[in-house]
Amino acid sequence: MNMRLIGTLVGATILITLASLWMGQQAYSWFPPEASAESKLIDDLFSFLTALGTFIFLGVTGMLAYSVLFYRAGRYDYSDGPPIEGNVTLEIVWTAIPLALVIWIAAYSYQVYEQMDVRGPMELVHLHMPETMEAAYAEPMEMASLPSAKIAVQAKQWAWIFHYPSENGEDITSTELHLPVDHRIKLALTSDDVLHGFYVPAFRLKQDIIPNKTIDFEFTPTRIGTYRLRDSQYSGTYFAAMQADVVVESPADYQSWLADAAGRVPSPAYNRASSEYNRAAEQTVVRGWETVPPASPPVVNYAPKQAPASPPA
Amino acid sequence: MANISVEELSGNRAQPYPGAPDNWKRFFTFSTDHKVIGIQYIVTSFVFFLIGGLFAMIIRGELITPEANLVDRTIYNAMFTMHGSVMLFLWSFPVLVGLANYLVPLMIGARDMAFPRLNAAAFWMVPVVGLLMMSSFFVPGGPSQSGWWAYPPVSLQNPTGNLINGQVLWLLAVAISGVSSIMGAVNFVTTIFKMRAPGMTFFRMPAFVWTVLAAQLIQLFGLPALTAGAVMLLLDIVAGTSFFRPENGGNPILYQHFFWFYSHPAVYVLALPVFGIFSEIFPVYARKPLFGYRVVAVSSLIITGLSAIVWVHHMYASGTPGWMRMLFMFTTMSISVPTGIKIFAWTATVFRGKLRLDTPMLFALAGVVNFVFAGITGIMLGSVPVDIHVNNTYFVVGHFHYVVYGTVVFGIYAALYHWFPKMTGRMYYEGLGKVHFWLTWLGTTLNFLPMHPVGLMGMPRRVASYDPEFAFWNVLASLGGFLLGLSTLPFILNMVSSWIQGEKAGNNPWRAIGLEWLISSPPPVENFEQLPIVIAEPYGYGKDEPLVSNLAELSESPG
Amino acid sequence: MTSEASIANQVESSIVEEHNEEANSKFGFWVFLLSESVIFLSFFAGYIVYKTSSTDWLPPGVEGLDTHDPAINTVVLISSSFVIYVAERFLHDKKLWGFRVFLLTTLLMGSYFLYGQAVEWQGLEFGLTSGLYGATFYLLTGFHGLHVLTGVLLQTIMFFRSFIPGNYDKSSFGIDATSLFWHFVDVIWIILYGLIYVWQ
Ligand code: HEA
Ligand code: HEA
Ligand code: CUA
Ligand SMILES: [Cu+2]
């Protein structure tokens, strides 16, 4: 009897382990393509958590299912089960194991976070004078090896504007974020009005943007392609429409894009929020409530005239 | 002296049994009977559950297609704001307070709560909160559209320029709800500390009472922080201060700290009593004592303690420095230890018992399974690198609906079925109960499981429109949502018709152990003829020991 | 089996209902005050964050706060805590007139504090909307002031109630709570004074 129980348990554990490992592998397929160095780290971590989570989930539900399937009371059986009130050893074990697991998960996550080194905001309590853009671009001519120069990301209700420093001190602006592949990218995130969130699912990276504060953000794109940038921190009426394309290209393409953009005369770019807002005002369909009006379409050097077109993930 | 009052009471038996259908008018009075108030809470909040659910139906209707084509964006934004607010402040909190109100005095052998009038006053604030929230639909500019977090600066933007606007009404409603909850919490804590029957030591209290205590302690330390944040936000809107206005040097992140210092622990205000419900139900339907009762009881207080030091996990991607992210990652994950203790204890309680799969048991079992799933996604969210990707996506929405619906609402349903015979004296229809369970289970899975993959793909929450690549999962979720809407119908039908004409249930249809099952159904106004003298721990299944030493004196007419 | 005697004991003690009710109210009031103190703690925390993180804390043209008059106010408020304690002792000894005199003194001292606060507010060259400095100052002193006002009103009620014959025979909960509340208001003020006036 007891041998059989142990045999069943061992068998079940092996099965559950295999299922968990399989789920861990599946986890990779749930994500958009891995387009940054960081995404690889995060996907590995998530796969590990999925495998561990599957194991815990199947373990607990398996035990419950076992009782539900094999220990139902008969229709007229009004007797009670065995009056077992507890078991100290067992209770210590199931406190210690989760504790060990937690330390393991947290340590692994910590390590991944260290490797990502995305910077992000510093202490809440020592807000500096807002670091002005000029100050950040004081060193001239960093442009040639651009990856080390900061690209300023300006978020507002409801548009993204990207500022690239240039030789003549005047920013080259765009509503599309172009990045050279395999270079460490340094962004300076700012907001004109409310909280926004810089989020590129293919990079697995996200950072809230806080008005009156400049947040440094770093990462390394590793895959050429076009990806979607979404606002991730709810920012009011047209929040959902605040999207842009992120174009990761070879450094050569990047340089020529930048040169091309620098030569263009600024013009208004496509802006979904403001076009929707204006159309809504013309139409007589039932409107919603009054809203904060969107800013007029940003006037930038590189001004795409159509909606972001990054392919599905 | 006691004898006289018995005579008087039996003379007055026109209204002795709160809960009996012939007496429904009582529920519209300022009654101070905790049982009446309990049912008042439950029924009122259920109405708001339907209203909050209706908003969810509109949300799911909008999201069944990628374009924002069903309602205007402002309306969509108002919908999720009010959906979240109603579901939390007007459904989950009050319904659990209602259950606790009904059960705690009975379970600890008291005649009422410590402060019956305060109790009634706290209840009557709930409809006021509801009216305020609903009235915001009729002011210019419409209801609050800043999400249930009301993060500034969005919540400070006031496009109509009116002083009375949706956001202000929302803040007032939340403040009143806070006052009501504090009153309730003072009452519960005092009742549990001071009103226990003779012999009812702390380690003889049912686990549900422990969890109510743990949850109400959270209200006491947490709500004031939210109140502080709300007062400052209100001043910013109406009095021109700049606490959270960045353009004048204000600090919007500070608001987030105030908000989550309460609103994270608040999720355990919901979860803890539901853990208590599970701990009550498994022993009854598995006919075994609650495994490791004392540890399960104490783990609730550990959760209370830990819940106060994890709030920043809602702000990993916000203006949070790296060291803070790491620190709160460790504390957040440590919550799985006391929670795991409970999960394993329930599993061991059910293990090789004599299971009876009545509706309450089905809901409880499925609730635990859903909770393990949600807990695991919770741990994933707790891991900073993962959260940096999935924060503010549908992965989070999936996580928390698995808890707030899959666990909390399941637990509430389990409790309502389990104690329905006690509250009304009548039995519900088991068949309808099972139909309700399966519809709810299917709807929950179909609705909330797809939110996880679509979140991992990068679909943000709080969007009225989304990219076509997310459509497949959203169609599934919407169908599941509508199924959930439908699933409430058999429940309502069951409750109403059983209350009116269900079979008489008797005092203890489940053969459960507990003070509340020793008295008549529904219990008389004074609960116990004579206060019970408790001589055993709860959950003595399979042990054949008496729970009280004065069984015969508890109620005047046993049977 | 548990000892029958101890149970019998407990039964009896629980039958003494009136005794219990007062104990309940006291317990409940303590719980409430502990909870209430968290609001103040939150405001204090906010104040500290603002003060340490703001780049221009004082509004233009504002030097800081004068500490002389508020110090007098502080002394008055704090000593009133002792006065109300004496009043309580008198009540305990059933000396109603002594009780009334000292309660009235407390009440007047509290009112003086409010008056002093009003005078101070009048004389300040910054307002609620003068940056974070003004906002936090008025928020903290105003919220505390509301509590002082509540305390004074409670004392007034207790004062008049003392003329109802036999009012305090059954239970002195009303005055116990008023007094406890008053001590609470005092303790809060001490912290507040330290934060706002001493730490400039
Ligand atoms: C009742 C409600 C409830 C409950 C109980 C929980 C439980 C948990 N939640 Fe959840 N949560 C919410 C309701 C709830 N949550 C809500 C409403 C939100 C979103 C609010 C909003 O943004 O609008 C949210 C959001 C939320 C976030 C923020 C995500 C984001 O916005 O980016 C995080 C991050 O850490 C998180 C984590 C957790 C964790 C770690 C638990 C833990 O308590 C889970 C512990 C349980 C287990 C782990 C399972 C059982 C344990 C075992 C079987 C032992 C072995 C297990 C291991 C060793 C892992 N939750
Ligand atoms: C206890 C809490 C609770 C509960 C029970 C629910 C229940 C449901 N929620 Fe939840 N939800 C939240 C709490 C809750 N929610 C919170 C806190 C948020 C975050 C808000 C924010 O971001 O600020 C949220 C957000 C949220 C979103 C995300 C919106 C967005 O980010 O854009 C979605 C999307 O699908 C959703 C769906 C649902 C659905 C389909 C249900 C279903 O379970 C509902 C089932 C429906 C019913 C049970 C009622 C059926 C009624 C009828 C059929 C009509 C009859 C009624 C009348 C005539 C009055 N909810
Ligand atoms: Cu902190 Cu720069
Ligand atoms: Cu949380």
Side-chain angles (χ1 to χ4, degrees):
Chain A
M1 169 64 203
N2 228 344
M3 275 319 279
R4 241 186 72 193
L5 177 69
I6 294 174
T8 321
L9 274 179
V10 171
T13 314
I14 294 176
L15 272 182
I16 292 179
T17 311
L18 290 177
S20 308
L21 291 174
W22 182 77
M23 274 301 259
Q25 286 313 304
Q26 292 305 300
Y28 288 100
S29 69
W30 302 334
F31 289 101
E34 280 176 354
S36 74
E38 290 73 14
S39 56
K40 174 92 184 76
L41 298 168
I42 292 176
D43 291 3
D44 289 343
L45 173 62
F46 190 80
S47 158
F48 162 75
L49 289 175
T50 306
L52 190 68
T54 310
F55 186 85
I56 294 170
F57 182 76
L58 290 181
V60 174
T61 46
M63 288 302 241
L64 289 175
Y66 168 76
S67 304
V68 167
L69 290 178
F70 301 115
Y71 286 88
R72 301 261 276 278
R75 186 174 267 271
Y76 300 108
D77 177 3
Y78 289 113
S79 62
D80 285 350
I84 305 164
E85 297 201 300
N87 179 323
V88 178
T89 326
L90 205 55
E91 285 167 50
I92 292 176
V93 168
W94 72 41
T95 311
I97 291 182
L99 192 64
L101 287 179
V102 158
I103 294 173
W104 185 16
I105 301 172
Y108 181 12
S109 306
Y110 180 83
Q111 199 193 345
V112 168
Y113 185 73
E114 287 286 278
Q115 285 177 38
M116 286 163 57
D117 193 24
V118 288
R119 291 176 68 91
M122 290 141 85
E123 285 91 294
L124 167 73
V125 290
H126 84 282
L127 303 171
H128 298 252
M129 292 294 288
E131 286 162 43
T132 50
M133 240 117 52
E134 288 73 34
Y137 300 119
E139 324 106 76
M141 309 307 279
E142 280 287 323
M143 234 204 86
S145 55
L146 231 168
S148 66
K150 275 187 197 166
I151 302 167
V153 177
Q154 179 195 1
K156 64 177 175 186
Q157 284 173 323
W158 287 268
W160 294 100
I161 303 168
F162 308 99
H163 301 250
Y164 294 81
S166 76
E167 288 113 274
N168 60 17
E170 213 171 281
D171 288 349
I172 303 163
T173 53
S174 163
T175 53
E176 216 172 76
L177 180 59
H178 282 242
L179 301 171
V181 74
D182 289 331
H183 279 85
R184 194 75 182 157
I185 303 297
K186 295 183 176 150
L187 301 181
L189 310 174
T190 57
S191 162
D192 285 4
D193 35 48
V194 298
L195 301 172
H196 297 274
F198 179 92
Y199 178 36
V200 183
F203 296 166
R204 315 281 188 280
L205 291 178
K206 172 183 295 117
Q207 174 59 54
D208 285 7
I209 310 176
I210 297 155
N212 208 11
K213 201 175 169 182
T214 303
I215 294 177
D216 294 331
F217 199 56
E218 289 189 9
F219 56 92
T220 312
T222 52
R223 187 173 179 274
I224 290 176
T226 311
Y227 310 101
R228 191 63 61 92
L229 162 67
R230 296 195 174 88
D231 186 2
S232 59
Q233 184 59 281
Y234 178 66
S235 57
T237 310
Y238 293 95
F239 166 65
M242 191 168 155
Q243 305 199 3
D245 275 337
V246 180
V247 180
V248 179
E249 51 204 356
S250 69
D253 287 350
Y254 172 71
Q255 290 298 357
S256 61
W257 172 81
L258 202 61
D260 169 56
R264 294 195 188 200
V265 184
S267 67
Y270 169 82
N271 182 273
R272 179 155 172 198
S274 87
S275 75
E276 253 187 51
Y277 180 77
N278 292 330
R279 258 185 296 128
E282 288 159 22
Q283 289 164 0
T284 47
V285 290
V286 187
R287 294 205 53 204
W289 291 289
E290 198 158 340
T291 167
V292 175
S296 46
V299 177
V300 288
N301 299 90
Y302 187 81
K305 306 292 181 202
Q306 73 291 336
S310 32
Chain B
M1 227 173 78
N3 295 347
I4 304 170
S5 65
V6 174
E7 301 295 273
E8 273 173 7
L9 277 166
S10 23
N12 282 349
R13 275 283 144 103
Q15 311 235 309
Y17 297 137
D22 47 334
N23 230 344
W24 55 272
K25 286 198 194 95
R26 275 180 74 90
F27 295 106
F28 294 88
T29 62
F30 192 84
S31 168
T32 55
D33 183 336
H34 73 98
K35 298 181 290 303
V36 175
I37 296 177
I39 291 174
Q40 284 174 326
Y41 264 114
I42 293 170
V43 174
T44 312
S45 51
F46 193 80
V47 171
F48 285 111
F49 177 55
L50 292 181
I51 295 176
L54 191 66
F55 297 159
M57 299 297 98
I58 297 173
I59 293 177
R60 287 311 332 166
E62 173 65 75
L63 293 180
I64 202 164
T65 58
E67 282 309 308
N69 43 12
L70 182 67
V71 293
D72 182 87
R73 288 186 191 276
T74 52
I75 298 181
Y76 182 84
N77 296 342
M79 281 301 125
F80 71 70
T81 303
M82 296 314 270
H83 163 70
S85 312
V86 166
M87 283 300 195
L88 294 171
F89 296 112
L90 289 162
W91 154 245
S92 343
F93 287 131
V95 74
L96 289 167
V97 168
L99 276 170
N101 230 304
Y102 196 94
L103 293 173
V104 165
L106 294 176
M107 285 180 162
I108 62 172
R111 292 221 160 85
D112 205 325
M113 296 279 284
F115 310 112
R117 257 169 309 167
L118 189 71
N119 202 15
F123 163 72
W124 283 102
M125 290 175 139
V126 174
V128 175
V129 173
L131 278 178
L132 268 177
M133 285 250 181
M134 294 308 127
S135 68
S136 67
F137 276 93
F138 304 102
V139 297
S144 162
Q145 290 155 39
S146 57
W148 83 279
W149 315 337
Y151 274 9
V154 169
S155 55
L156 298 176
Q157 292 186 322
N158 180 0
T160 60
N162 279 324
L163 206 57
I164 303 293
N165 56 51
Q167 191 66 55
V168 167
L169 291 177
W170 184 91
L171 278 168
L172 287 178
V174 170
I176 296 175
S177 148
V179 172
S180 157
S181 297
I182 292 277
M183 286 158 66
V186 169
N187 213 343
F188 278 115
V189 172
T190 310
T191 307
I192 294 170
F193 269 91
K194 293 288 194 181
M195 307 272 287
R196 280 169 289 125
M200 177 59 82
T201 57
F202 274 103
F203 280 116
R204 283 183 185 160
M205 297 194 310
F208 179 73
V209 180
W210 275 92
T211 57
V212 169
L213 177 64
Q216 297 299 323
L217 288 174
I218 291 180
Q219 296 284 42
L220 289 170
F221 78 70
L223 264 172
L226 178 70
T227 312
V231 167
M232 289 157 82
L233 194 63
L234 195 66
L235 288 175
D236 274 4
I237 301 177
V238 301
T241 54
S242 301
F243 293 112
F244 306 131
R245 263 183 215 284
E247 66 267 29
N248 299 339
N251 186 344
I253 305 301
L254 187 63
Y255 173 86
Q256 300 181 6
H257 283 284
F258 282 136
F259 181 81
W260 289 114
F261 183 78
Y262 170 64
S263 295
H264 172 75
V267 307
Y268 296 98
V269 177
L270 306 182
L272 280 166
V274 170
F275 295 163
I277 290 166
F278 293 155
S279 301
E280 295 305 313
I281 284 179
F282 289 131
V284 178
Y285 298 84
R287 314 305 306 168
K288 279 178 65 193
L290 179 61
F291 195 95
Y293 154 69
R294 284 169 183 245
V295 186
V296 171
V298 171
S299 68
S300 308
L301 291 179
I302 299 179
I303 292 179
T304 299
L306 286 177
S307 78
I309 52 169
V310 305
W311 76 95
V312 176
H313 68 219
H314 295 271
M315 303 166 55
Y316 285 150
S318 174
T320 305
W323 64 266
M324 222 190 241
R325 290 174 171 170
M326 294 300 114
L327 184 70
F328 281 88
M329 175 164 83
F330 277 95
T331 56
T332 297
M333 291 186 175
S334 67
I335 284 247
S336 60
V337 176
T339 324
I341 290 177
K342 286 181 187 282
I343 299 272
F344 297 129
W346 297 327
T347 314
T349 305
V350 173
F351 191 66
R352 300 191 157 184
K354 298 252 180 181
L355 270 67
R356 214 169 272 282
L357 297 185
D358 294 313
T359 311
M361 184 64 163
L362 286 175
F363 271 109
L365 282 169
V368 169
V369 172
N370 284 340
F371 178 62
V372 174
F373 183 79
I376 288 163
T377 57
I379 296 298
M380 291 171 166
L381 292 170
S383 167
V384 172
V386 174
D387 187 63
I388 294 235
H389 173 50
V390 295
N391 162 263
N392 282 344
T393 66
Y394 264 84
F395 192 83
V396 177
V397 181
H399 156 72
F400 73 75
H401 280 88
Y402 255 85
V403 246
V404 293
Y405 203 99
T407 312
V408 174
V409 175
F410 272 51
I412 292 167
Y413 278 142
L416 290 179
Y417 283 109
H418 181 64
W419 279 288
F420 183 82
K422 180 51 62 185
M423 293 179 181
T424 64
R426 298 186 183 254
M427 205 58 196
Y428 64 85
Y429 301 111
E430 190 58 47
L432 266 180
K434 294 236 164 72
V435 170
H436 176 218
F437 168 75
W438 286 109
L439 280 181
T440 310
W441 183 81
L442 195 66
T444 305
T445 309
L446 202 57
N447 192 170
F448 302 125
L449 197 59
M451 291 181 173
H452 296 85
V454 86
L456 290 173
M457 288 164 70
M459 175 172 168
R461 58 191 286 199
R462 299 175 162 175
V463 292
S465 62
Y466 54 85
D467 296 317
E469 66 206 78
F470 305 130
F472 171 69
W473 297 112
N474 274 290
V475 172
L476 289 188
S478 290
L479 294 179
F482 302 143
L483 198 59
L484 272 186
L486 274 182
S487 76
T488 51
L489 298 180
F491 174 73
I492 299 171
L493 185 67
N494 202 351
M495 292 294 114
V496 173
S497 58
S498 310
W499 198 340
I500 295 171
Q501 51 169 26
E503 227 177 286
K504 286 263 190 301
N507 290 358
N508 190 0
W510 310 120
R511 299 178 296 121
I513 297 177
L515 292 181
E516 79 269 31
W517 300 106
L518 299 178
I519 52 178
S520 64
S521 306
V525 179
E526 75 281 9
N527 293 350
F528 303 95
E529 195 56 41
Q530 208 179 78
L531 286 184
I533 299 172
V534 182
I535 53 173
E537 284 195 2
Y539 316 115
Y541 296 94
K543 289 204 297 188
D544 214 21
E545 65 181 9
L547 181 62
V548 297
S549 66
N550 56 344
L551 181 59
E553 284 93 50
L554 291 191
S555 52
E556 83 201 84
S557 52
Chain C
M1 269 275 161
T2 5
S3 113
E4 302 277 331
S6 81
I7 292 177
N9 252 340
Q10 275 172 300
V11 180
E12 271 170 39
S13 69
S14 74
I15 290 175
V16 190
E17 288 281 350
E18 298 121 61
H19 184 86
N20 247 353
E21 241 156 65
E22 185 172 339
N24 288 352
S25 304
K26 254 195 189 154
F27 183 90
F29 198 69
W30 264 102
V31 173
F32 169 75
L33 281 188
L34 285 177
S35 175
E36 177 88 349
S37 62
V38 179
I39 298 198
F40 281 104
L41 283 183
S42 310
F43 284 147
F44 293 157
Y47 178 84
I48 292 169
V49 169
Y50 283 133
K51 183 162 158 65
T52 51
S53 67
S54 285
T55 37
D56 29 27
W57 174 237
L58 292 177
V62 176
E63 295 297 296
L65 288 164
D66 168 38
T67 49
H68 181 260
D69 291 354
I72 298 177
N73 237 355
T74 305
V75 172
V76 171
L77 190 67
I78 298 201
S79 25
S80 72
S81 242
F82 295 96
V83 180
I84 200 168
Y85 175 73
V86 176
E88 257 189 301
R89 293 324 300 166
F90 270 108
L91 185 66
H92 186 258
D93 299 340
K94 304 263 179 276
K95 296 192 177 123
L96 264 188
W97 273 109
F99 166 71
R100 284 179 194 134
V101 168
F102 278 88
L103 186 65
L104 193 66
T105 318
T106 317
L107 199 164
L108 291 175
M109 290 166 90
S111 310
Y112 175 82
F113 176 87
L114 285 175
Y115 167 76
Q117 182 107 68
V119 170
E120 187 194 1
W121 279 17
Q122 290 284 286
L124 293 175
E125 68 267 51
F126 60 90
L128 181 65
T129 52
S130 314
L132 289 172
Y133 183 76
T136 46
F137 173 82
Y138 285 102
L139 178 70
L140 281 172
T141 53
F143 198 66
H144 176 264
L146 274 180
H147 282 74
V148 178
L149 185 67
T150 312
V152 169
L153 287 178
L154 284 177
Q155 288 156 11
T156 316
I157 296 172
M158 291 305 137
F159 179 74
F160 285 112
R161 281 253 201 107
S162 75
F163 291 98
I164 304 174
N167 182 58
Y168 289 117
D169 290 359
K170 273 212 309 277
S171 145
S172 61
F173 171 68
I175 185 67
D176 290 348
T178 306
S179 165
L180 186 60
F181 186 75
W182 199 243
H183 299 319
F184 168 76
V185 166
D186 267 6
V187 171
I188 296 292
W189 178 258
I190 295 173
I191 304 173
L192 206 161
Y193 186 79
L195 279 179
I196 292 189
Y197 293 93
V198 179
W199 180 40
Q200 293 229 12

